[in-house]
Amino acid sequence: MHTELCHADDASIRRAAALLRAGELVAFPTETVYGLGADALNGGAAARIFAAKGRPADNPLIAHIAGESDLSGLIAGEPVPCARALMRAFWPGPMTLIFPKSARVPREVTAGLDTVAVRMPSHPVARALISAAQTPIAAPSANRSGRPSPTTAAHVLEDMDGRIPLILDGGPCEVGLESTVVDVTGARPRILRPGGVTREMLEGVVGAVDVDEGVLHQLQAGSQARSPGMKYKHYAPRGEMTIVTGPRAAQEIARLYDAAGGRAAILAFSQADYGARRVYRLKNAPGELFAVLRQLDEDGVETIYAEDVPTNGVGLAVMNRLMRAAAFRVHNAE
Ligand code: AMP
Ligand code: MG
């Protein structure tokens, strides 16, 4: 299949919408990362997403809507008061809510769960596409499964060339990390995946919010993942990454780098001085993280020593992605 990369103008958005209505896949920009979309009410179309990504069948998709009127067809019953408050505060934007699902949502979208994830994106191209398609769009990130999420159309092409008919290019994504996934089906809202909307922002609206165990810790073998995506190795560069923590982290990173010989690199969030060593320094960690992880691959880096980041604010989301990129390898330098 030939993959066309198109500037996202009115004509290409109309073409993309027609492809979606015909059950095809289209990649499109959102404010978080690029999504790989299919008609969320067409099970066969949603199944194509799993094939194109090489995504495990038990990892559900997020349904994207353009307006609140699209919500009632996807969920069972009415949103509970705390869901309403969060929607009012953060939609459109980088927050996904988990609701009990309606019978109309095909099982391919929810991977057999009795809940459905819904988000209203703020990106004008995403909104125009959903409106033109006149159906909610199921979309995970538009990367091959296991790879860092794409924050530019060029990243999508790297992973999806020959697998989908069309990529809408809307420039680089503003947030650069996936949405915050919040489960509102229990007694208290629970963050299943941290993202652009921080815990502090959520708590400012609804009071105390729980953070799921799986956000910063490896799930025990056999334990039930509340957010199925959390159990997979994810966001990973090809090189082996280790996160170095503790008060002597910078000295230890320098020592490990020297011991590794020529092919290592340092992923730095601080201003620590590593001399002439090869450092990838992130000034805007959430926005640049995935692009830098891809760059490490392109540069053939085999061993990566990463600093950690404080887990307040958007740092929780950065650390969540970093822990998965490192397959939970953490080295503490006391
Ligand atoms: P992606 O957009 O590729 O990051 O994938 C969507 C993420 O949303 C997955 O990792 C899932 O874990 C999460 N998700 C989707 N639907 C549900 C659901 N019904 N319950 C919990 N998590 C969900
Ligand atoms: Mg993803």
Side-chain angles (χ1 to χ4, degrees):
M1 180 187 297
H2 174 69
T3 301
E4 205 182 331
L5 182 61
C6 279
H7 173 68
D9 55 20
D10 287 348
S12 60
I13 290 172
R14 271 199 304 278
R15 274 211 299 132
L19 283 166
L20 289 169
R21 292 203 63 85
E24 300 284 346
L25 305 184
V26 171
F28 63 99
T30 82
E31 69 277 19
T32 59
V33 301
Y34 273 75
L36 181 60
D39 179 350
L41 300 178
N42 177 342
R48 290 183 152 173
I49 291 177
F50 291 84
K53 283 183 59 102
R55 185 177 177 95
D58 64 350
N59 193 0
L61 311 175
I62 294 171
H64 293 71
I65 60 175
E68 262 184 48
S69 56
D70 298 336
L71 188 62
S72 57
L74 296 173
I75 70 174
E78 292 291 315
V80 294
C82 85
R84 284 228 162 274
L86 292 173
M87 286 158 54
R88 217 175 299 125
F90 302 114
W91 276 4
M95 178 190 71
T96 296
L97 296 177
I98 307 293
F99 296 98
K101 80 181 268 291
S102 98
R104 283 181 73 204
V105 181
R107 71 184 152 69
E108 288 85 352
V109 170
T110 61
L113 297 176
D114 53 13
T115 52
V116 60
V118 186
R119 176 163 104 82
M120 188 190 295
S122 64
H123 196 292
V125 173
R127 298 175 65 76
L129 179 63
I130 301 164
S131 299
Q134 295 182 293
T135 181
I137 299 180
S141 50
N143 50 290
R144 294 271 295 154
S145 208
R147 296 260 294 148
S149 297
T151 54
T152 67
H155 293 164
V156 179
L157 190 64
E158 255 171 50
D159 280 19
M160 290 297 154
D161 196 11
R163 296 174 170 271
I164 60 174
L166 182 63
I167 301 169
L168 289 177
D169 185 352
C173 301
E174 203 175 298
V175 178
L177 285 181
E178 301 87 342
S179 60
T180 307
V181 178
V182 186
D183 185 351
V184 287
T185 64
R188 216 198 248 192
R190 172 184 291 262
I191 297 176
L192 302 184
R193 176 178 73 184
V197 173
T198 64
R199 176 187 195 165
E200 293 83 346
M201 289 162 74
L202 297 169
E203 290 188 330
V205 174
V206 292
V209 167
D210 291 329
V211 177
D212 198 69
E213 258 288 296
V215 166
L216 289 181
H217 302 280
Q218 188 160 25
L219 292 162
Q220 296 305 308
S223 78
Q224 183 75 32
R226 280 205 183 75
S227 177
M230 286 294 182
K231 70 186 176 200
Y232 296 105
K233 183 174 173 196
H234 222 138
Y235 316 115
R238 296 190 188 95
E240 185 177 283
M241 187 189 295
T242 303
I243 302 171
V244 183
T245 64
R248 295 190 58 262
Q251 293 99 301
E252 183 65 2
I253 286 174
R255 189 189 69 74
L256 289 165
Y257 175 101
D258 294 343
R263 308 200 68 93
I266 296 168
L267 196 60
F269 302 97
S270 76
Q271 292 311 311
D273 182 4
Y274 292 103
R277 297 177 183 86
R278 183 179 192 181
V279 181
Y280 293 72
R281 205 177 288 277
L282 287 86
K283 289 183 202 74
N284 159 25
E288 291 171 356
L289 181 64
F290 288 140
V292 168
L293 294 180
R294 282 176 180 261
Q295 191 63 48
L296 287 162
D297 281 354
E298 245 173 65
D299 297 348
V301 176
E302 289 174 3
T303 308
I304 305 147
Y305 297 108
E307 295 179 350
D308 69 345
V309 293
T311 54
N312 57 314
V314 79
L316 183 65
V318 173
M319 211 43 203
N320 167 269
R321 307 307 190 272
L322 211 53
M323 286 294 265
R324 281 162 180 77
F328 295 95
R329 259 186 308 273
V330 178
H331 175 84
N332 188 15
E334 284 298 346

